[in-house]
Amino acid sequence: MTRMSTLLAVALFATTVGAPALSQAATDDRSLYERLGGTGPITAVVGKFVTIVGGDKRINGYFAKADLVQLKKHLINMVCQASGGPCEYTGRDMKTTHKGMGITGAAFNALVGDLVEALDTFNVPEREKGELLSVLGPMQKDIVEKP
Ligand code: HEM
């Protein structure tokens, strides 16, 4: 075999061996909740997220009087339920919760950025990250008062 065809053979072999894992990830038809890893990883991501928000000077003023223990509990149940998990969100609806806070579009984007940072800390893959963000995105209209 020439050097070039050896390289080609190695590349083909690598592609064939690698392929099942890749296509399996793309066609994994389990719920988002299961693909995220269930309640444990969701709790870890929410914990990290709340810590990041607490240190984010752009938006932490909004949370000055917030009950962070309750907030974490509600966020965990919300993400768990919205991703197809066995939890029940028992908090208030998003419009009532954020009414009168004067949340700006920039603050909303900053918070989403903090969530992405938390998800990245735990190496949550692009597909799951995208799906979670598209569940939360439509809530923007009920949360933002100053676009
Ligand atoms: C998709 C985006 C968001 C989601 C899913 C979300 C979700 C929640 C949830 C589930 C609660 C608890 C509800 C309850 O106590 O009954 C809450 C409370 C709160 N949220 Fe949000 N929120 C979002 C965006 C924001 C933004 C952008 C801000 C401000 C920058 C914000 C500030 C607050 C504050 C201050 C509370 C009150 C906490 C307390 O009273 O103890 N939220 N949010």
Side-chain angles (χ1 to χ4, degrees):
M1 236 195 256
T2 62
R3 191 173 140 71
M4 188 54 99
S5 60
T6 308
L7 278 177
L8 197 66
V10 169
L12 274 176
F13 178 72
T15 315
T16 320
V17 170
L22 286 176
S23 58
Q24 204 173 33
T27 58
D28 187 342
D29 59 4
R30 291 174 304 156
S31 68
L32 174 58
Y33 171 80
E34 286 184 59
R35 282 179 283 123
L36 286 169
T39 313
I42 289 174
T43 303
V45 167
V46 168
K48 180 75 185 169
F49 167 65
V50 171
T51 303
I52 295 172
V53 168
D56 186 344
K57 289 199 176 78
R58 297 172 297 174
I59 54 174
N60 57 10
Y62 286 100
F63 295 87
K65 292 181 188 156
D67 178 345
L68 295 184
V69 174
Q70 275 296 108
L71 180 63
K72 264 188 227 177
K73 184 192 105 175
H74 284 315
L75 285 174
I76 291 164
N77 284 330
M78 174 178 263
V79 171
C80 172
Q81 178 178 303
S83 62
C87 316
E88 192 192 351
Y89 172 68
T90 57
R92 297 164 292 168
D93 68 82
M94 291 298 93
K95 201 166 187 126
T96 309
T97 299
H98 301 92
K99 197 174 169 60
M101 289 187 192
I103 294 175
T104 63
F108 186 88
N109 291 339
L111 180 130
V112 171
D114 290 347
L115 177 60
V116 169
E117 197 181 321
L119 291 163
D120 285 343
T121 306
F122 292 96
N123 296 315
V124 172
E126 289 302 319
R127 179 185 172 202
E128 283 69 30
K129 214 161 51 173
E131 284 181 31
L132 183 58
L133 293 174
S134 52
V135 172
L136 302 180
M139 298 175 182
Q140 178 165 6
K141 63 175 186 346
D142 292 328
I143 293 171
V144 171
E145 290 179 324
K146 299 176 181 172

